[in-house]
Amino acid sequence: MSPTPYLELEGVAAHLGERRVFDNLSLRLNLGEHTVVLGPNGAGKSALVKLISREIYPVVQQGSSLRLFGDRTVNLWQLRQRIGLVSSDLERLYNPAVRANDVVLSGCFGSVGIGRSQNPTPAMGQRVTELMHQLGLLELATERFGQLSEGQRRRLLIARALVHKPDVLVLDEPTNALDLKARHQLLELMRQLSRSGTTLLLVTHQIEAVIPEIARCVMLKAGQLMADGPCDQVLTSSNLSALFETPLQLLQANGYRQVLPG
């Protein structure tokens, strides 16, 4: 059986603010295929995430198209039920005073926090409790978001992203600003999720965040596709040195990778 794509870009041009990020980007990402999009700052990683979440739109031009789950036209509410997103941009939107439980609950409404007009159902509350238990967050339910550690906040946002049991979970730089223990806990959580039937899309500049279950690597550089293929073939010292424009040596152990100065 041929793989089923959830994202199809064909000759896409796009702007992020005033900057033209992509001129002619073509890319296909498939359900069931855990993928990392790797690149330095300014490569276009954030713009790709925003194209997927429909925060930005491609330039309308002949021969260019963007499809999500096979459709050019997307209902945003339906999209939020099929793609969960975790990003530092989302984390910054939350009021530090909001309770942890409400952070997860807000995912049911696709909102940031819970407003007075929103009436959570018992089924929503049960789903939130289930996720917080699964991710080891139940004891934090009444804590304020701003009082939690970076690692705890990141896990809460993952729980929020999972409320609708999405087909795809997009993790945008999930290990940024985490200490060693929190990073290892998050990587283990990512491994568990990868085995649960959720397709992972990891967007990062950190080689160490690429868990063993991720089989495909897409390298972006200056808005261009530099390499795309199996991690074992694409993640090499020479490719990484070219991508980050500095001599690098790739090391591997226990399915993980690290880089040293070349």
Side-chain angles (χ1 to χ4, degrees):
M1 293 178 63
S2 59
T4 302
Y6 63 88
L7 174 69
E8 296 169 277
L9 304 179
E10 186 66 38
V12 164
H15 291 84
L16 192 57
E18 297 296 319
R19 184 168 68 94
R20 192 174 179 97
V21 185
F22 302 127
D23 279 317
N24 185 28
L25 181 66
S26 296
L27 178 66
R28 173 176 169 151
L29 299 177
N30 301 311
L31 290 172
E33 185 177 56
H34 304 310
T35 302
V36 58
V37 174
L38 189 67
N41 293 337
K45 302 189 305 298
S46 294
L48 179 63
V49 171
K50 292 180 186 298
L51 281 172
I52 294 172
S53 64
R54 309 304 274 162
E55 293 177 63
I56 64 172
Y57 290 82
V59 176
V60 177
Q61 57 186 16
Q62 187 173 4
S64 173
S65 65
L66 185 158
R67 290 184 176 87
L68 287 163
F69 299 100
D71 294 324
R72 289 176 181 261
T73 304
V74 177
N75 178 294
L76 284 180
W77 175 246
Q78 292 176 349
L79 182 65
R80 287 172 182 152
Q81 293 180 316
R82 300 199 70 179
I83 296 181
L85 173 65
V86 177
S87 70
S88 54
D89 285 349
L90 177 61
E91 183 175 333
R92 285 191 289 268
L93 290 175
Y94 273 89
N95 187 320
V98 68
R99 296 191 185 276
N101 185 74
D102 286 341
V103 171
V104 182
L105 187 60
S106 66
C108 297
F109 300 96
S111 61
V112 177
I114 299 296
R116 293 181 179 178
S117 63
Q118 292 162 328
N119 298 305
T121 66
M124 290 177 182
Q126 183 177 349
R127 176 63 176 157
V128 168
T129 300
E130 171 188 305
L131 282 168
M132 294 188 75
H133 174 72
Q134 178 185 336
L135 274 63
L137 297 166
L138 266 184
E139 71 278 8
L140 304 176
T142 59
E143 297 292 328
R144 305 290 184 181
F145 191 64
Q147 296 175 336
L148 303 176
S149 70
E150 285 284 352
Q152 291 168 333
R153 291 201 292 269
R154 211 64 49 83
R155 281 190 288 148
L156 272 177
L157 292 178
I158 290 176
R160 177 191 184 276
L162 294 174
V163 291
H164 292 297
K165 301 181 180 179
D167 299 303
V168 180
L169 179 62
V170 180
L171 299 166
D172 185 7
E173 301 287 7
T175 56
N176 271 9
L178 300 187
D179 63 27
L180 196 60
K181 179 180 178 181
R183 187 182 310 133
H184 287 179
Q185 289 175 333
L186 183 58
L187 293 177
E188 180 56 34
L189 174 58
M190 288 166 57
R191 298 194 70 179
Q192 293 172 14
L193 292 171
S194 73
R195 303 176 194 131
S196 71
T198 301
T199 300
L200 297 187
L201 177 62
L202 171 65
V203 180
T204 187
H205 67 276
Q206 298 180 337
I207 312 301
E208 297 82 0
V210 182
I211 58 174
E213 287 75 12
I214 290 178
R216 178 182 173 189
C217 178
V218 173
M219 288 186 171
L220 278 182
K221 183 177 183 181
Q224 300 292 320
L225 197 63
M226 196 192 98
D228 181 7
C231 285
D232 289 344
Q233 297 176 20
V234 172
L235 283 175
T236 64
S237 296
S238 59
N239 278 349
L240 290 169
S241 298
L243 181 65
F244 291 99
E245 297 183 350
T246 189
L248 296 171
Q249 180 184 1
L250 181 69
L251 302 179
Q252 299 188 54
N254 301 323
Y256 286 95
R257 300 168 178 87
Q258 290 190 338
V259 288
L260 298 177

